[in-house]
Amino acid sequence: QPSLAPFWKMGEPIVSPFEKGGTRGILQDDEIRRINIFDWNDDEKGFGKVMKDGGFDCVIGNPPYVRIQAMKEWAPIEVEEYKKRYESASKGNYDIYIVFIEKGLSLLNEKGLLGFICPHKFFQSQYGEPLRRIISKGKYLSRVVDFGHQQVFAGATTYTCLLFLNKSGVKGVDYTEVKDLQTWQTSEDTETETGKITVSSITFEPWNFVVGKGAKLFNKLSKMPIKLGDVADIFVGLQTSADDVFIMDWVKETSKEFILKSKALNKEWVFEKGLLFPIVSGTDVKRYGTLPERQYILFPYEVKDGAANLIGLEEIERKYPKTYAYLYENKRRLEERERGKFKGYDWHRFGRSQNIGIQSQVKLCVPRLVENLYAAYDEDGSHFLDNVDVNGITLK
């Protein structure tokens, strides 16, 4: 009987990238219960015999798609531990599904097969480089069914593919680009582009698979000497690790004050103008459209020559007493971020310091998840960007 690795059991995930071995001293008991750690080598509750025999013949799954920017708020220890334990999590702001792919590979025997439906973002992203290295080094990639921008899951915008890996290694990769999802699902007469990709072209460098009639044009474009990255800088938005405190809905304003609705307090609050700036998410960006001011971010920083310095609480209290009172009302919430990491004199700082000083630049705003590429122009640098949902592009 072929051994099949179950990724879900009684509605609960049992393929946590964590394992019981070596977690004591790292995780508290309540964290171990929350993570629901599964021991694959346990003879009674796990698959001890299968693992002793070399591993599974087949691993099938739909791993979770969760960015670590979100996980840092409720699972900061896991985020850091995955970076230590898994090569695929060693670079950049990874998505948890890549750790599951590496884990799934490790559960296979020497002739085992893996089939996942997962985002194809790791094909080109910086954080996907370690996983691309793992797969290319072992020549594991056997087949890809790429859905492109078509949406497989109703109600969620995700760009996915079917990923097939062969632990014994392959000599060529079958690649299929699905042009029409509904036709592909219901008929053998499908509108697809299919072809063979040479194993030698699968490296740790970004994967850009093009077959059929578009391949010639794509190869020509890939040889262009100047790319966007040569003439522009691309950056993400602000990462506060407490958006419910720092980002608020606009209600009304006067010449000197804003009235904003706080999610953290579930009520309106009056703020002095001076530390509040309009912030846009991906849904706010419309093609050629003006940027809205439906939300504002409390920005306790002073920016000079591109460098951002945190404004001290005493100065905020002196210049902006109503804003200070709001921060103080949320002090406990802000201090408890990431297991108390923010306790101290600067408990009001953002969770991450990247790109804080460059938000007010003139820029193109490009949403992260769209069916067709488009952008809006922030012509005076008045709008800040929200986390990774929208990216900024500035000319070098």
Side-chain angles (χ1 to χ4, degrees), residues 68-223:
I68 61 165
Q69 290 94 330
M71 287 186 64
K72 283 176 180 176
E73 295 200 25
W74 51 270
I77 291 181
E78 289 175 55
V79 169
E80 296 305 314
E81 283 302 312
Y82 294 153
K83 288 182 179 180
K84 297 175 185 176
R85 294 167 182 254
Y86 293 92
E87 183 181 346
S88 59
S90 63
K91 196 163 188 175
N93 291 325
Y94 64 89
D95 193 303
I96 193 66
Y97 73 86
I98 67 168
V99 182
F100 276 75
I101 294 173
E102 182 179 349
K103 180 63 185 176
L105 266 171
S106 73
L107 296 174
L108 294 174
N109 61 39
E110 60 181 12
K111 295 183 179 180
L113 305 175
L114 179 145
F116 272 8
I117 182 169
C118 63
H120 50 62
K121 186 177 180 181
F122 85 90
F123 287 6
Q124 290 97 20
S125 68
Q126 183 180 16
Y127 74 69
E129 181 183 316
L131 181 59
R132 294 195 300 269
R133 191 182 296 275
I134 292 171
I135 293 173
S136 61
K137 185 177 180 180
K139 299 180 180 179
Y140 299 139
L141 187 62
S142 63
R143 187 184 179 199
V144 173
V145 178
D146 193 341
F147 299 119
H149 68 275
Q150 297 179 88
Q151 298 305 303
V152 175
F153 301 107
T157 304
T158 55
Y159 302 106
T160 54
C161 70
L162 300 182
L163 181 75
F164 298 93
L165 306 179
N166 188 327
K167 194 66 175 286
S168 63
V170 300
K171 296 181 178 180
V173 182
D174 293 314
Y175 178 79
T176 300
E177 181 183 0
V178 177
K179 299 290 187 180
D180 186 300
L181 182 61
Q182 187 173 3
T183 304
W184 179 82
Q185 289 174 317
T186 59
S187 172
E188 293 184 2
D189 184 20
T190 59
E191 186 181 350
T192 61
E193 293 279 6
T194 60
K196 202 82 170 178
I197 308 295
T198 61
V199 173
S200 60
S201 66
I202 308 296
T203 69
F204 67 90
E205 296 290 346
W207 296 348
N208 293 293
F209 302 135
V210 181
V211 294
K213 58 186 178 183
K216 185 176 180 180
L217 174 60
F218 183 84
N219 290 333
K220 182 178 180 180
L221 289 172
S222 66
K223 295 176 182 178

Side-chain angles (χ1 to χ4, degrees), residues 267-389:
K267 65 180 180 181
E268 296 177 2
W269 198 279
V270 179
F271 296 86
E272 303 90 353
K273 290 186 175 180
L275 297 182
L276 289 149
F277 300 86
I279 187 168
V280 294
S281 65
T283 56
D284 293 320
V285 177
K286 306 300 180 185
R287 192 178 189 189
Y288 301 121
T290 57
L291 295 170
E293 297 184 0
R294 66 179 184 88
Q295 288 188 316
Y296 277 75
I297 186 167
L298 173 51
F299 187 74
Y301 291 86
E302 183 178 42
V303 178
K304 186 176 182 180
D305 298 327
N309 295 306
L310 184 67
I311 301 174
L313 287 166
E314 292 183 359
E315 184 176 348
I316 293 176
E317 184 179 20
R318 185 176 70 255
K319 292 183 177 180
Y320 313 101
K322 295 176 182 178
T323 301
Y324 172 81
Y326 174 78
L327 285 170
Y328 195 80
E329 186 81 5
N330 288 284
K331 180 180 179 181
R332 183 174 179 180
R333 161 79 175 92
L334 296 177
E335 284 187 327
E336 290 178 347
R337 287 175 290 169
E338 299 186 22
R339 296 177 58 85
K341 175 182 174 181
F342 292 83
K343 288 183 178 180
Y345 72 95
D346 57 353
W347 49 265
H348 61 302
R349 74 187 190 274
F350 286 173
R352 299 293 175 267
S353 59
Q354 294 92 331
N355 304 320
I356 290 180
I358 60 177
Q359 295 294 312
S360 58
Q361 294 184 14
V362 175
K363 55 188 172 291
L364 285 176
C365 304
V366 184
R368 182 174 66 94
L369 294 175
V370 291
E371 291 189 1
N372 296 289
L373 182 62
Y374 58 85
Y377 183 41
D378 183 11
E379 62 182 343
D380 55 4
S382 59
H383 288 67
F384 291 3
L385 306 180
D386 183 9
N387 210 310
V388 298
D389 286 332

Side-chain angles (χ1 to χ4, degrees), residues 4-20 32-42 45-47 51 56 59-64 82 86 100 103-104 107 116:
L4 178 69
F7 265 54
W8 300 89
K9 182 179 182 182
M10 299 292 289
E12 293 293 329
I14 60 172
V15 187
S16 167
F18 267 118
E19 290 181 353
K20 284 188 177 178
I32 292 175
R33 286 193 296 271
R34 177 180 61 77
I35 296 169
N36 190 25
I37 297 170
F38 185 81
D39 189 351
W40 291 93
N41 298 301
D42 190 311
K45 298 181 179 180
F47 296 87
M51 300 310 294
F56 289 91
V59 172
I60 299 174
N62 176 11
Y82 294 153
Y86 293 92
F100 276 75
K103 180 63 185 176
L107 296 174
F116 272 8

